[in-house]
Amino acid sequence: MTFRHATPNDIPTLTSLLNRSYRGESSRAGWTTEADLLSGARIDEIGLFQLLNDSDSLIFIALSDEKVLATIHAHREDNSVHFGLFAVEPTQQGGGVGKGLLAYAESEAHSLWGVNTAVMEVITHRSELIAYYERRGYVRTGKMIPFPTSTLWNQLTNNLVLEVLSKKLDFSEKLGSSNMAFSYDIP
């Protein structure tokens, strides 16, 4: 598996991956589905294009044999990186793809931006997902924020809230940089 920064040419593939990983019947093939909580799209091509054109944003992808398996968005905010839009092909979930991409994204954000804290928000209903991030060193901050509204999706349940998780980034050696290929063997 290899990792790289996304380009505008990746937008259609990433839009499809994000939407089928989070919502609808196709998302049920994996364990990270939101299909019982939300309907509609997670993001559209215009939204991804805006993120790619934001100077404080990067989108990373994981590939195997040139096929995109996963993606994650990183947004620099002061001395931290905010991760979101983290999706792994539903049929590939649980095999280490996400773990590898998250490690790469953390390393790249630290290397390129000098940030020392990673932040993400997770729907509180998703206790198994929160546990996944805790196993990767993220801690619950106790901070809750309202779930956003959008014309792209509808809430299927009431009381959706996001919990903020954070992690201190500490790299004694660089794992990769934007000028080097980063590969990860799935154990």
Side-chain angles (χ1 to χ4, degrees):
M1 184 167 47
T2 58
F3 305 95
R4 67 170 171 81
H5 295 214
T7 69
N9 291 337
D10 296 312
I11 289 175
T13 300
L14 297 180
T15 303
S16 177
L17 171 64
L18 284 158
N19 288 323
R20 74 174 173 272
S21 296
Y22 280 100
R23 313 278 164 73
E25 286 305 311
S26 61
S27 70
R28 295 183 191 280
W31 66 274
T32 63
T33 182
E34 295 175 349
D36 293 329
L37 304 173
L38 298 146
S39 65
R42 177 66 175 86
I43 196 163
D44 59 16
E45 290 187 10
I46 293 168
L48 277 177
F49 184 78
Q50 290 170 338
L51 293 175
L52 273 178
N53 284 298
D54 179 343
S55 62
D56 287 321
S57 285
L58 292 168
I59 297 175
F60 306 111
I61 57 177
L63 304 105
S64 179
D65 297 326
E66 300 302 314
K67 181 180 180 195
V68 175
L69 299 180
T71 186
I72 191 169
H73 171 245
H75 185 263
R76 178 175 44 187
E77 298 172 1
D78 298 321
N79 196 32
S80 64
V81 59
H82 182 105
F83 289 121
L85 295 174
F86 187 17
V88 176
E89 184 66 49
T91 59
Q92 299 293 313
Q93 293 177 13
V97 175
K99 179 181 175 180
L101 181 58
L102 183 58
Y104 172 75
E106 290 170 348
S107 175
E108 282 288 278
H110 179 73
S111 175
L112 296 172
W113 292 328
V115 296
N116 60 20
T117 304
V119 177
M120 63 177 63
E121 301 155 357
V122 182
I123 298 173
T124 56
H125 288 65
R126 304 296 317 284
S127 57
E128 73 285 358
L129 197 51
I130 291 170
Y132 171 86
Y133 292 124
E134 287 177 319
R135 289 190 302 274
R136 305 240 140 25
Y138 287 80
V139 295
R140 299 172 113 167
T141 65
K143 182 178 178 185
M144 305 291 178
I145 58 176
F147 193 83
T149 58
S150 173
T151 58
L152 294 177
W153 63 74
N154 295 306
Q155 291 188 27
L156 301 176
T157 186
N158 293 325
N159 305 320
L160 290 182
V161 177
L162 296 169
E163 182 169 4
V164 178
L165 308 176
S166 70
K167 176 182 180 178
K168 292 293 180 193
L169 300 177
D170 182 23
F171 295 94
S172 55
E173 63 182 64
K174 292 182 181 178
L175 297 176
S177 75
S178 58
N179 295 325
M180 297 172 30
F182 180 101
S183 42
Y184 179 84
D185 295 324
I186 298 173

